[in-house]
Amino acid sequence: MPYQVPEPKIFACTDSRALAEKIAKSYGTDLGNVHISRYSDGEFQPSFEESVRGARIFIIGSTHPSSENLMEMLLMLDAAKRASARHITAVMPYFGWARQDRKDKPRVPIAAKLIAKMLEAAGATRIITMDLHADQIQGFFEKPVDHLFASTMFLPYLKSLNLDNLTIASPDMGGSKRAYAYSKALESDVVICYKQRAKANVISHMELIGDVRGKNVVLVDDMVDTAGTLTKAADLMMERGALSVRAITTHGLLSGNAYEKIEKSQLSELIVTDSIPISKENDKVRVLSCADLFADVMHRVHHNTSIASKFLM
């Protein structure tokens, strides 16, 4: 009788449970049972309430702030390792702390490198993530990293809009590679915003490189935090004669007064994924689920088949 590969077990970190349930449903299974015990001082302890010995397990959890999300992922990885799981994959739709990927001034940490080492030390044997802030973060790991792209969801959506005179825009110089990749797939023009920051999350000046007059513009970025860059770019483009401006960003952090900025801006819509739970309902914010993408890749990883078709960019 041929050997049957046992199905993997899927577990969820607390803040990513809603997405994990969608992923498990798309995969065709149920979430595994994990219990979180909490102490009065805030310390917590995850416990797998079923055997994982010799199994392949996927632990789903984005590591957006607060740092409790990262700590929960680390503790669950360690628990799985000590429970003798054979393969332990950290499924991190959003890899937090990725903006600290280099020393941009003296005496600062390289947090993304530190997080990579912590995940491996905790027991992760593989990482699956999506739209890293910087592609080279994959090199911080000694374990395999499957770096997925939300373009597999965004491109079909953009094509369904049937926008005339479409132009792809990058809100900063760092995102120009991503913008060019989208423009190539959509056969459109590209414009770039040049910005200078007074400090983190504060823009002192922004200028536009390229012509947007009479164009329907789509801003492309990997994340939106305070929404300052996107809303300022949208307003600038409308001033320069754009017909409409919308934005697609993979990770919707949307901190501080981001929702208020989006409401007051000239953005027609902001499209994000559910890699991070969206905290408020908003008429301008559209959420596309990445559950099917992750479920498909997890299935391919488990059965050792290629995931090359998921790399559109």
Side-chain angles (χ1 to χ4, degrees), residues 9 11 32-37 45-52 79 83:
K9 298 189 176 187
F11 298 92
N33 187 13
V34 63
H35 176 70
I36 307 291
S37 301
Q45 179 189 62
S47 169
F48 293 103
E49 299 298 303
E50 58 188 84
S51 176
V52 296

Side-chain angles (χ1 to χ4, degrees), residues 30-102:
D30 297 320
L31 284 179
N33 187 13
V34 63
H35 176 70
I36 307 291
S37 301
R38 295 190 178 272
Y39 299 90
S40 61
D41 66 347
E43 185 179 328
F44 57 91
Q45 179 189 62
S47 169
F48 293 103
E49 299 298 303
E50 58 188 84
S51 176
V52 296
R53 183 176 298 274
R56 181 191 291 277
I57 71 168
F58 295 98
I59 301 174
I60 300 170
S62 287
T63 53
H64 52 289
S66 73
S67 55
E68 212 172 85
N69 291 316
L70 172 61
M71 192 65 190
E72 185 176 353
M73 172 61 80
L74 293 171
L75 291 175
M76 289 183 69
L77 290 169
D78 187 69
K81 176 179 66 176
R82 296 178 189 279
S84 301
R86 178 173 294 185
H87 301 287
I88 308 169
T89 301
V91 181
M92 306 168 67
Y94 172 67
F95 182 87
W97 312 90
R99 283 176 282 188
Q100 300 179 56
D101 63 325
R102 66 196 184 283

Side-chain angles (χ1 to χ4, degrees), residues 178-203:
R178 183 181 295 107
Y180 280 116
Y182 271 86
S183 70
K184 183 178 180 181
L186 295 167
E187 299 179 344
S188 67
D189 295 332
V190 178
V191 297
I192 306 291
C193 292
Y194 172 73
K195 67 182 179 184
Q196 294 177 327
R197 289 191 182 276
K199 57 181 179 179
N201 294 130
V202 178
I203 300 169

Side-chain angles (χ1 to χ4, degrees), residues 44-254:
F44 57 91
Q45 179 189 62
S47 169
F48 293 103
E49 299 298 303
E50 58 188 84
S51 176
V52 296
R53 183 176 298 274
R56 181 191 291 277
I57 71 168
F58 295 98
I59 301 174
I60 300 170
S62 287
T63 53
H64 52 289
S66 73
S67 55
E68 212 172 85
N69 291 316
L70 172 61
M71 192 65 190
E72 185 176 353
M73 172 61 80
L74 293 171
L75 291 175
M76 289 183 69
L77 290 169
D78 187 69
K81 176 179 66 176
R82 296 178 189 279
S84 301
R86 178 173 294 185
H87 301 287
I88 308 169
T89 301
V91 181
M92 306 168 67
Y94 172 67
F95 182 87
W97 312 90
R99 283 176 282 188
Q100 300 179 56
D101 63 325
R102 66 196 184 283
K103 286 186 68 174
D104 56 354
K105 63 180 182 179
R107 299 177 295 280
V108 296
I110 303 178
K113 169 80 169 181
L114 174 62
I115 301 305
K117 293 303 176 188
M118 290 168 68
L119 291 165
E120 290 179 338
T125 59
R126 190 180 201 95
I127 307 294
I128 302 177
T129 189
M130 179 172 65
D131 279 352
L132 288 166
H133 187 63
D135 291 347
Q136 61 267 25
I137 290 173
Q138 297 171 80
F140 292 167
F141 290 90
E142 298 303 322
K143 305 296 183 183
V145 178
D146 294 312
H147 182 208
L148 311 180
F149 296 99
S151 55
T152 57
M153 295 169 287
F154 288 143
L155 286 173
Y157 176 77
L158 290 177
K159 289 176 181 177
S160 73
L161 296 176
N162 294 316
L163 295 172
D164 294 326
N165 297 321
L166 175 64
T167 293
I168 299 297
S170 172
D172 53 39
M173 300 297 287
S176 58
K177 179 183 175 183
R178 183 181 295 107
Y180 280 116
Y182 271 86
S183 70
K184 183 178 180 181
L186 295 167
E187 299 179 344
S188 67
D189 295 332
V190 178
V191 297
I192 306 291
C193 292
Y194 172 73
K195 67 182 179 184
Q196 294 177 327
R197 289 191 182 276
K199 57 181 179 179
N201 294 130
V202 178
I203 300 169
S204 60
H205 176 72
M206 178 177 284
E207 193 52 64
L208 186 62
I209 303 172
D211 184 19
V212 295
R213 187 172 301 279
K215 303 292 181 67
N216 288 298
V217 182
V218 177
L219 284 155
V220 180
D221 210 351
D222 65 307
M223 68 172 70
V224 51
D225 188 356
T226 64
T229 297
L230 288 182
T231 54
K232 191 175 183 69
D235 292 345
L236 176 61
M237 289 173 180
M238 292 299 289
E239 289 174 11
R240 299 289 175 87
L243 296 178
S244 69
V245 182
R246 52 180 38 82
I248 55 174
T249 59
T250 306
H251 310 297
L253 291 164
L254 297 173

